[in-house]
Structure formats: structure tokens, C-alpha cells
Amino acid sequence: MKAVVFDKLGGPEVLTLGDAPTPEIRPGKVLIKNHAVGINFADTLFRQGEYVMQPKFPDIPGLEASGVVEAVGEGVEDIKAGDRVAAIGIKAYAEYSLMSAKQVMSLPDSVSFEEGAAFPIQVLTAYHMLHTSHAITADQTVIVHAAAGGVGIVAVQIAKAAGARVIGTVSSSEKAALAKKYGADEVINYATQDFSEETLKLTDGKGVDLILDAVGKPTLEKGLTCLAPFGHLIVYGRAGGAPDPINLFSLFQKSVKVSGFILYTVSAMPEVHKKGIQQSLKLVDEGKLKLLIGKSFPLADAAQAHRHMESRQSVGKLVLIP
């Protein structure tokens, strides 16, 4: 099969299209013929050796894909060859992926393969931050950083579906318009404005109940200054660099909390994971959640796709087409 492979750490240029053995089916596994592959910022960290998992050379990046089931292993129930599915796993930048049956989810006919590749990580990350790590309610206000990005644009919609007030932050006027289009009540350009000061103005000095932060260094410390009493800041990425260490005593003044989130935690909790899938698909079915595909690239152009993501110019979800 064709796959994107790399045999050393480095920039996007280390990614090349090559040949790799098609995975052999094993018990508890599902072999998927990929129709679309999701690109995540974590993939760029994996390529550089800075992710929680380290590459084993030669390796294939990629954490999610959608396609059609080619074969199922012994012990797999409720999934059969020919099913349309999306899945979370590893080595997804390829024509075929072998995924754990526990991480494979049915894809409704109303959801395209490209949208399916956008679903597993970005949608479930947004859903579980809002409803599992936190418990968003209609009387709360939330800041969504990078509100025009893959997770951000979904988080805006899921928070709005819960009735919350959403303040999005972005880095350009074009992204501000997009965040507004997808439901943000207010949008702050943090490249030209101090988002903390603007947030306090928008909330009459009270601050916000929740901040979803995938940016890191440029935003975390300022975020703490615009949390409401008992507010919550969730860190789930570091697109702007690793944040500085937090002085725990700085949390005392307003009794705020900071937590981290990674989807793998939920993936090990079957019932919680299942509920997130069901509730998120329900929002899609009700028209309350739309999946924005910012740009699609051929599998051979994975390096170009990574450059586009790292340029901070991308919006929505980037996908590869095998």
C-alpha cells in the first residue's frame, strides 16, 4: 500500500510517500480502506519527536481516518466488512489502517468521508472538554481560543448548543468572520487586542467560567487573569509553544483551576466514549454542529499539508485523501 513515511525527526520535508506493507488483520482489530485521513497538530509534534508517543523508524504518522471496513478480526462484533466508519488509532496516513475495534465508530450516510475524518478527534475533544472535563451550562461564558481552527470551530458550536455564551479568539479578521459565522457571540483578535482586557470588558469585569486553550504560551497566563471566581482553564495543546510553569498560589485569589485534556483518557472509558459519539452525532443530525473542511490534500502532499497547518493560516479541518 501507499503510505506517508518518515525515518528521521525534522520538518515537513521528512515526510515522503512510499510503500509499506498492508496491515494484516488480527483479533480485536478492524482493517479500514481509508477514504480520508484527518490531520492534527499532534501529527506535527509526532514528526518532531515532541508528542506523548515517540516514532519508531520508519514510521507512519496519523491518528484518525474514515473509510470502509475491509476486514474484521476474531472477536469483533457489530462491525462488518463494507461498513462506513471513522476511527482513532495510529499510522493513519496510508491507504489502509488497522484500528482497534473499540475505537471504530459507525459513520452515518449523511456524513461524508471527509467530514468523518474530521469527527473522531476534533469533535470528541471539544465535546468532552465541555461536557466531561467541565459541565457547561446555559448560564456560563466560555472563551474558545483558536476559534476558527479544527477543534475551536467545533467547540464554539457545541458550547452554543448547550446555551452558553461564547467568546472566540482568533489571529486575523478573516478568521474572526468565520468564528462569527459558526456561532461565536463575540470575537477578539488576540494579535491586535489584549484578549484578557477585552474579555473583562465584555463580561463587566466578572470574567469567564471556562477557557479552552490549545495555544499555550501566549495565552495561558493572561487567561488566568480573566477567569471568573471558580473558573476553569483547560489546556489541550501548545500551538504557540509550551506555556511557562504556573505558580499554584496564583490560583488562590479567585479559587480557579487549571486542567489538561487529551482524548486518549476518554478512549479508555467505553461508556463515556460511546456517549460522546452519540451526543455529538445527534448534534450533527439536528444541524447544530457542522464540520468545516478547510482544505483537502492528496496523500502525497502530506508535507505541504503540514506546512499549511504550521503557518497558522489554516481554518477548520485539514484532511488527506489517499
Side-chain angles (χ1 to χ4, degrees), residues 199-212:
T199 294
L200 291 171
K201 290 177 184 176
L202 290 169
T203 58
D204 297 322
K206 177 189 174 184
V208 298
D209 304 286
L210 176 65
I211 297 176
L212 304 183

Side-chain angles (χ1 to χ4, degrees), residues 135-303:
I136 195 71
T137 56
D139 62 342
Q140 293 186 341
T141 300
V142 55
I143 285 179
V144 177
H145 285 309
V151 175
I153 210 159
V154 172
V156 167
Q157 296 175 79
I158 295 177
K160 287 300 296 178
R165 179 187 180 188
V166 179
I167 300 171
T169 77
V170 295
S171 58
S172 70
S173 56
E174 292 80 12
K175 290 183 178 182
L178 192 64
K180 275 276 192 180
K181 178 181 176 181
Y182 280 81
D185 295 289
E186 292 94 12
V187 182
I188 300 168
N189 184 337
Y190 62 78
T192 59
Q193 297 173 290
D194 185 312
F195 80 85
S196 179
E197 291 181 4
E198 292 299 316
T199 294
L200 291 171
K201 290 177 184 176
L202 290 169
T203 58
D204 297 322
K206 177 189 174 184
V208 298
D209 304 286
L210 176 65
I211 297 176
L212 304 183
D213 191 345
V215 180
K217 187 175 179 66
T219 51
L220 190 146
E221 190 171 337
K222 281 189 176 181
L224 293 176
T225 67
C226 62
L227 280 175
F230 296 101
H232 184 190
L233 190 156
I234 302 177
V235 183
Y236 69 101
R238 49 169 182 167
D244 295 326
I246 296 171
N247 177 359
L248 293 179
F249 294 103
S250 69
L251 309 181
F252 285 20
Q253 186 176 1
K254 292 187 289 184
S255 301
V256 300
K257 61 182 177 181
V258 177
S259 67
F261 180 85
I262 189 168
L263 189 58
Y264 290 119
T265 310
V266 176
S267 299
M269 305 167 67
E271 291 306 312
V272 177
H273 185 52
K274 182 179 179 180
K275 180 180 179 181
I277 294 169
Q278 292 173 337
Q279 293 300 313
S280 298
L281 286 174
K282 181 181 178 183
L283 292 176
V284 172
D285 188 57
E286 293 172 345
K288 295 178 180 177
L289 173 58
K290 293 180 170 56
L291 301 172
L292 172 63
I293 306 303
K295 196 167 184 178
S296 298
F297 297 82
L299 188 64
D301 291 345

